[in-house]
Amino acid sequence: MSIKSIPDIFKAFQQLKVLVIGDVMIDAYIWGTVSRISPEAPVPVVNVKNREKRMGGAANVALNLQSLGAEPILCAVLGDDEGADIFEGLLEKRNITGKGIIRSKDRITTLKERVLSGSQHLLRVDSESLEPLIQAEENLLLAKILELINEVDVIVFEDYDKGTITPQIIQQTVEKAKELGKPVVVDPKKNNFFDYKGVDLFKPNLKELKEGMHVDFSNSDQDMLKEQTRLLREMLSAKFVMTTLSEKGVYIQSEKEDFLIPAYKRSISDVSGAGDTVISIAALCIALKLRSDFVASLSNLGGGIVCEELGVVPIDAKKLEVEAIKHNLQF
């Protein structure tokens, strides 16, 4: 379709299918009130008022993509356990296909349990497998990816360092995507940082950029930011590197141009999941071949919007569209 306005962009999002490869998890929330300290130990006693389980990790990228109108297909490995049953139930409830999901008796399904009182986060308990996939699991996942890649418009790697994504999976997926002319975007973590060679967009945050490049510099040092981003982009042979800068916005760089997009002032409640929103928006924009400054601007705007919510929540597409028009984002 011909794109002549921001509403046209959001309509075009609804035509896209996205393959999301990565570490999925269950985000569990226990909300309650605290009125006393335990007599057993100096810790607050939480009187539970509500419990909720949500899809997290790479599955939150799928939720964001769905909220934006696109159709996500998740490729991931779960344990063969109660957590997997819960996760697949959540997928079904949200009408997201589970055809790319594999179960393994050698892993457990990642569960992050958070205890909150009002807006105060009191405790988090994690249950997870961190070992890389064994060969049999890797082969099964790769077969799923290579089967499903034909029907999508863009591929997202959502890496949480939980072992689902391996160098072999990255290499073969990127090779196949190039062969089919389909863009690949990456939300990286430490372990596979330099394995994402030849991708279209690589999105570290500033901390990940510094750690990956083994340098430290002031968050306000724009010259170092630009130089380290250039070095990383060249090392990866990536078309774009987009570094998120928290309250300072987003910096995107290609071989020919670069843009530093400042953040909009907001009342921040919780930064959890903002990176998932950013990569989801960026992936759809890259699939539509939109300008890099627009990719960064819309992603930046969406990341800020979800930070106003408590807990990990997907972007509200209508709110994002309204704000994009209000701020007169140029595409």
Side-chain angles (χ1 to χ4, degrees):
M1 65 178 287
S2 172
I3 293 174
K4 296 178 179 175
S5 66
I6 285 171
D8 284 347
I9 291 169
F10 281 81
K11 283 194 188 100
F13 285 170
Q14 296 170 24
Q15 309 302 315
L16 298 175
K17 272 191 184 183
V18 186
L19 191 64
V20 182
I21 305 164
D23 304 293
V24 299
M25 57 195 74
I26 297 168
D27 285 319
Y29 296 88
I30 300 170
W31 281 283
T33 55
V34 175
S35 58
R36 64 193 178 99
I37 299 299
S38 171
E40 301 164 11
V43 294
V45 175
V46 178
N47 183 18
V48 176
K49 300 295 183 186
N50 188 31
R51 294 175 187 264
E52 187 181 355
K53 289 185 172 70
R54 303 174 184 167
M55 296 189 294
N60 188 48
V61 173
L63 288 175
N64 274 278
L65 290 163
Q66 187 185 55
S67 289
L68 290 160
E71 182 185 338
I73 303 174
L74 270 171
C75 271
V77 181
L78 301 175
D80 193 10
D81 51 20
E82 184 187 1
D85 294 336
I86 291 167
F87 184 87
E88 289 188 338
L90 291 169
L91 272 183
E92 194 174 334
K93 193 174 175 184
R94 293 301 296 257
N95 200 26
I96 295 175
T97 180
K99 64 184 175 181
I101 300 292
I102 290 161
R103 289 196 183 208
S104 168
K105 291 191 183 334
D106 295 308
R107 300 179 77 78
I108 61 170
T109 302
T110 300
L111 172 66
K112 293 185 177 181
E113 299 175 277
R114 298 168 176 86
V115 182
L116 302 102
S117 175
S119 61
Q120 189 174 4
H121 192 154
L122 302 177
L123 179 70
R124 195 176 98 183
V125 181
D126 290 2
S127 309
E128 58 191 10
S129 298
L130 295 175
E131 295 75 28
L133 299 183
I134 60 174
Q135 190 67 57
E137 295 162 349
E138 185 180 72
N139 291 344
L140 282 170
L141 186 61
L142 198 47
K144 285 279 187 191
I145 291 166
L146 297 179
E147 172 195 335
L148 294 167
I149 200 169
N150 293 289
E151 60 183 272
V152 302
D153 300 288
V154 58
I155 298 98
V156 177
F157 278 104
E158 181 60 34
D159 202 339
Y160 275 84
D161 273 355
K162 307 296 182 192
T164 300
I165 298 174
T166 64
Q168 180 74 355
I169 283 173
I170 294 167
Q171 183 188 339
Q172 291 207 31
T173 303
V174 172
E175 278 178 12
K176 187 65 174 176
K178 279 186 181 303
E179 184 187 309
L180 297 171
K182 303 194 178 190
V184 178
V185 305
V186 181
D187 193 359
K189 278 288 184 289
K190 193 174 181 180
N191 291 346
N192 300 313
F193 200 78
F194 291 107
D195 291 314
Y196 293 100
K197 299 280 197 301
V199 300
D200 293 79
L201 183 137
F202 189 78
K203 185 209 75 68
N205 60 34
L206 185 56
K207 180 173 178 283
E208 289 161 349
L209 175 71
K210 290 178 184 180
E211 287 178 353
M213 300 302 288
H214 301 292
V215 293
D216 194 20
F217 55 88
S218 162
N219 289 358
S220 58
D221 189 339
Q222 291 185 17
D223 289 339
M224 275 295 280
L225 169 65
K226 291 180 179 185
E227 176 63 8
Q228 294 304 315
T229 300
R230 181 188 66 78
L231 289 171
L232 176 60
R233 180 176 53 75
E234 290 176 355
M235 287 168 77
L236 293 175
S237 299
K239 283 186 188 172
F240 301 100
V241 171
M242 185 169 81
T243 306
T244 55
L245 309 170
S246 299
E247 73 282 355
K248 292 190 182 297
V250 170
Y251 174 64
I252 192 166
Q253 183 190 96
S254 69
E255 188 178 0
K256 295 180 180 175
E257 58 187 8
D258 68 314
F259 300 94
L260 183 60
I261 310 293
Y264 296 97
K265 286 191 177 178
R266 296 193 176 275
S267 173
I268 303 300
S269 293
D270 191 343
V271 298
S272 305
D276 301 339
T277 300
V278 168
I279 198 69
S280 302
I281 296 167
L284 297 181
C285 290
I286 291 286
L288 295 178
K289 298 182 171 60
L290 296 172
R291 279 179 8 197
S292 62
D293 54 335
F294 181 83
V295 175
S297 296
L298 193 67
S299 303
N300 180 37
L301 195 57
I305 289 171
V306 296
C307 287
E308 293 181 323
E309 305 290 334
L310 189 61
V312 178
V313 293
I315 187 67
D316 180 326
K318 196 64 203 171
K319 189 172 182 180
L320 178 60
E321 183 180 341
V322 166
E323 289 216 18
I325 294 166
K326 173 186 159 189
H327 293 294
N328 195 29
L329 297 194
Q330 298 300 304
F331 59 92

